[in-house]
């Protein structure tokens, strides 16, 4: 049975890669803002633990973002139980590193399938319902590497530029339907993915790395009506990392 109209007025946000890192903090912040949150991930133990931590209004759903059928199952289930997907945060991402000569097609496809194809499949899956309601907000997590080049992380860089471009084309196409699409570009944030990076070598003007909470605050703004006239835009959360020529 579908939720009542009163229940469905509480926004429902799906956060991919929501079990840990930036995704988990997005789930926490959106939940604290009063939204119902679906933590979508392949990491079932961590995802369920976070849902239990957040309590009422938070659920975990298994999702492989690179699998079309997995997206269909997730969206059907969320609409059936919660009534709608009002906000989609495409956060799930992976990275690998190699010189271009040694960058195998397997490495390339492993990153593109999650970071770019996964974001595309997510957008495509939620758009019909958003069109029907005449509203929605999609927040695609790109990176500062979606605005510059970085040696060795070729697939990651290409995928994050692709997410940036996908955001633009969707914003133009979906704007007339009341659906907003924006991208967020984090700089260095200490997470499992960035554990091998040395922040002292990054020359960040603000003098420190960011926090997942700072990124999540930007996501929460874009998910809310406070950003109602904002679409197709890039929000850089990097402490000034790419604002100018490095001093070192």
């Amino acid at each position: 049975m579908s939720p009542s109209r009163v229940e469905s007025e509480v926004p429902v946000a799906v956060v991919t890669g929501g079990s840990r890192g930036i995704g988990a903090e997005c789930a926490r912040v959106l939940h604290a803002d009063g939204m119902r949150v679906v933590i979508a991930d392949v990491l079932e133990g961590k995802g369920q633990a976070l849902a239990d931590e957040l309590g009422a209004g938070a659920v975990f759903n298994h999702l492989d973002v690179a699998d079309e059928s997995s997206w269909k199952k997730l969206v059907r289930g969320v609409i059936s139980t919660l009534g709608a997907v009002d906000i989609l945060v495409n956060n799930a991402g992976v990275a690998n590193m190699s010189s271009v000569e040694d960058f195998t097609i397997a490495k390339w496809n492993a990153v593109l399938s999650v970071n770019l194809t996964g974001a595309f499949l997510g957008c495509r899956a939620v758009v019909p319902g958003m069109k029907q309601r005449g509203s929605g907000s999609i927040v695609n997590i790109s990176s500062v590497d979606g605005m510059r080049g970085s040696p060795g992380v070729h697939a990651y860089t290409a995928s994050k530029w692709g997410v940036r471009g996908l955001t633009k084309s969707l914003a133009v196409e979906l704007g007339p339907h009341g659906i907003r699409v924006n991208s967020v570009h984090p700089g260095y944030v200490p997470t499992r993915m960035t554990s091998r990076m040395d922040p002292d070598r990054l020359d960040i003007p603000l003098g420190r790395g960011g926090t997942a909470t700072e990124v999540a605050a930007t996501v929460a703004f874009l998910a809310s009506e406070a950003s109602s006239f904002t679409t197709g835009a890039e929000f850089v959360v990097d402490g000034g990392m790419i604002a100018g020529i490095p001093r070192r």
Side-chain angles (χ1 to χ4, degrees):
M1 180 180 295
S2 297
S4 70
R5 175 59 186 161
V6 173
E7 288 176 328
S8 64
E9 286 174 352
V10 179
V12 176
V14 172
V15 182
T16 72
S19 292
R20 62 187 179 192
I22 290 173
E25 196 60 24
C26 288
R28 289 190 180 97
V29 169
L30 294 175
H31 185 265
D33 283 350
M35 298 183 187
R36 291 176 291 169
V37 176
V38 178
I39 301 158
D41 209 316
V42 293
L43 302 175
E44 296 190 4
K46 291 181 181 295
Q48 188 59 57
L50 178 57
D52 293 342
E53 171 196 321
L54 295 179
V59 297
F60 170 77
N61 276 202
H62 182 274
L63 173 69
D64 176 356
V65 296
D67 180 52
E68 184 176 8
S69 62
S70 187
W71 269 112
K72 290 179 178 178
K73 181 179 179 181
L74 174 84
V75 172
R76 278 198 308 266
V78 172
I79 291 174
S80 173
T81 57
L82 300 178
V85 177
D86 300 292
I87 296 118
L88 171 63
V89 181
N90 275 316
N91 166 78
V94 296
N96 52 34
M97 187 171 186
S98 178
S99 65
V100 66
E101 300 99 320
D102 298 324
F103 214 103
T104 65
I105 193 64
K107 283 186 174 183
W108 177 268
N109 288 338
V111 173
L112 269 291
S113 65
V114 173
N115 295 9
L116 183 54
T117 302
F120 165 74
L121 290 174
C123 294
R124 194 178 67 175
V126 302
V127 159
M130 289 182 175
K131 278 187 174 182
Q132 189 174 25
R133 294 186 307 282
S135 66
S137 176
I138 297 173
V139 184
N140 293 323
I141 306 300
S142 179
S143 166
V144 290
D145 288 334
M147 305 184 81
R148 66 174 190 182
S150 288
V153 288
H154 308 298
Y156 181 80
T157 300
S159 72
K160 293 305 185 179
W161 277 83
V163 166
R164 181 184 175 193
L166 177 65
T167 299
K168 301 290 189 189
S169 61
L170 289 176
V172 173
E173 179 175 320
L174 300 177
H177 300 279
I179 303 168
R180 299 181 295 107
V181 191
N182 294 284
S183 59
V184 175
H185 300 254
Y188 173 74
V189 175
T191 63
R192 182 175 177 273
M193 185 182 291
T194 61
S195 60
R196 295 183 181 181
M197 298 174 67
D198 180 0
D200 293 331
R201 297 175 61 109
L202 297 178
D203 197 15
I204 302 170
L206 286 185
R208 64 174 178 84
T211 67
T213 303
E214 288 170 317
V215 178
T218 301
V219 171
F221 165 70
L222 293 172
S224 75
E225 285 303 304
S227 60
S228 57
F229 197 55
T230 301
T231 195
E234 299 151 353
F235 287 77
V236 181
V237 189
D238 73 343
M241 183 189 300
I242 62 170
I245 298 172
R247 291 165 292 180
R248 302 181 189 181

